[in-house]
DNA sequence: ACCTGAACACCGTTCAAGT
DNA sequence: ACCTGAACACCGTTCAAGT
């Protein structure tokens, strides 16, 4: 409602408003028109920063993954992996189906390349060779993404179940 | 284009046309209007069989899962499980992100209850108690759903990688 | 009961115009 | 370069009317 400079748009301001809208009203509520309204701007102004709605949605998914804190190399590798995947699950869980539906494309984004690099790094330091590390990471990532999508109701029980399954997988990889 | 009786609509005819449209042009191409066009019917006729588009989309996802052939109890349990999840992956793969985005709701549908029953049954017969069977099944289901969503390009390499990860998990569950 | 039109309240996006 | 209107080609869905 303030005028002049206050309304200076930016890629970041658009993404913030969009993620706010998605979090409070769900992915279906995100329209270019409503987003413009929320930013006190005409819908078309958004197209200065994103080619189309698809690109905005992709950026939103990548943004969420970028927020993840990657582990520094002190703790035991299984604990590092647990922490990383726990965080990933939290981020995905904020809007599971919204982000998940963008996953196929997000996979080749810098944000996910960075995350996967960190995951494989943990496994490499633990003694897996490059090929094993890649396979194990892919399996753990798949499990985590799939788990958020098959979520039912009870949040506390879900967290416990997630850890149970994760321990099961970590047991499966042996200890090189 | 034939007239009269030929145009008798049904829930099944609508679902068939919808899945055809999704398979050939992607989930975004599925609109009530285009669907009506393809069925040679006015868009509103579809609402006789489905309350709204959301319900149609849910039915589409459930339909895909219902097509799965559940294993009869002859083979070794690990091989039965491999066959079941392999099939599930194939069905999801036809339109991964489309079906996956419906997963949260599909989870409590009869079709998925039936699938999960079959999965837990395999584990029960293998000697797991009820609670273990539920956890292991949930983990395997999560892995499979997540894997299809994190798919990259090469189909043959993906199948191999899927099996590698699955073997890893099956190794983790031990042999009760 | 099932299908038809027309109409309503929305969409994403193009484009020509303004600053 | 960035924002504005208006306009175009679509949406899902309600409703009153037809059979």
């Amino acid at each position: 409602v303030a005028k002049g400079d206050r309304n200076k748009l930016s890629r970041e301001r658009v993404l913030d408003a969009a993620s706010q809208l998605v979090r409070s009203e769900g992915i279906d509520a995100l329209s270019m028109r409503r987003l413009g309204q929320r930013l006190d701007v005409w819908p078309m102004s958004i197209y200065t920063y994103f080619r189309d709605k698809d690109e905005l949605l992709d950026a939103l998914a990548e943004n969420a993954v970028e927020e993840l804190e990657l582990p520094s190399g002190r703790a035991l590798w299984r604990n590092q992996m647990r922490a990383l995947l726990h965080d990933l699950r939290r981020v995905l869980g904020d809007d599971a189906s919204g982000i998940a539906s963008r996953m196929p494309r997000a996979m080749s984004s810098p944000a996910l390349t960075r995350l996967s690099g960190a995951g494989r790094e943990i496994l490499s330091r633990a003694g897996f060779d490059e090929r094993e590390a890649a396979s194990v990471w892919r399996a753990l990532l798949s499990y985590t993404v799939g788990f958020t999508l098959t979520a039912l109701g009870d949040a506390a029980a879900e967290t416990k179940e997630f850890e149970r399954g994760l321990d099961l997988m970590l047991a499966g990889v042996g200890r090189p």
Side-chain angles (χ1 to χ4, degrees), chain A:
Chain A
V1 183
K3 69 174 192 180
D5 280 356
R6 214 19 167 264
N7 264 0
K8 182 65 170 135
L9 216 50
S10 73
R11 206 182 140 87
E12 209 194 343
R13 284 225 315 141
V14 174
L15 282 175
D16 277 0
S19 101
Q20 227 176 87
L21 190 57
V22 170
R23 251 192 285 264
S24 68
E25 302 191 45
I27 190 83
D28 287 342
L30 179 59
S31 77
M32 301 304 264
R33 291 169 123 101
R34 287 202 55 189
L35 193 51
Q37 214 169 303
R38 190 173 266 240
L39 288 161
D40 200 18
V41 128
W42 289 80
M44 289 310 99
S45 304
I46 299 167
Y47 287 79
T48 307
Y49 303 94
F50 301 92
R51 197 203 322 265
D52 54 23
K53 191 184 178 183
D54 242 43
E55 202 179 283
L56 192 161
L57 251 24
D58 284 341
L60 214 51
E62 289 166 32
N63 227 34
V65 175
E66 254 158 26
E67 275 173 17
L68 287 178
E69 233 185 290
L70 304 188
S72 53
R74 304 234 182 167
L76 297 177
W77 76 268
R78 276 181 232 260
N79 288 338
Q80 284 192 340
M81 191 58 88
R82 280 194 194 96
L84 184 61
L85 295 181
H86 211 89
D87 262 28
L88 175 60
R89 182 178 158 245
R90 182 181 48 75
V91 165
L92 292 174
D94 284 349
D95 178 41
S97 64
I99 292 181
S101 69
R102 294 282 143 184
M103 258 296 157
R105 275 212 247 169
M107 282 299 285
S108 46
S109 71
L112 224 90
T113 303
R114 184 173 147 273
L115 173 65
S116 290
R120 283 192 293 257
E121 179 78 13
I122 292 173
L123 294 165
S124 287
R125 275 199 300 258
F128 291 93
D129 71 38
E130 210 171 313
R131 193 173 136 292
E132 287 170 331
S135 286
V136 173
W137 167 249
R138 173 70 189 279
L140 291 170
L141 176 65
S142 298
Y143 168 71
T144 305
V145 170
F147 193 93
T148 64
L149 266 176
T150 52
L152 302 165
D154 187 346
E158 282 291 287
T159 298
K160 216 166 185 177
E161 192 72 7
F162 177 71
E163 278 160 10
R164 216 198 300 281
L166 187 52
D167 285 344
L168 195 144
M169 295 189 73
L170 291 174
V173 304
R175 44 166 93 179

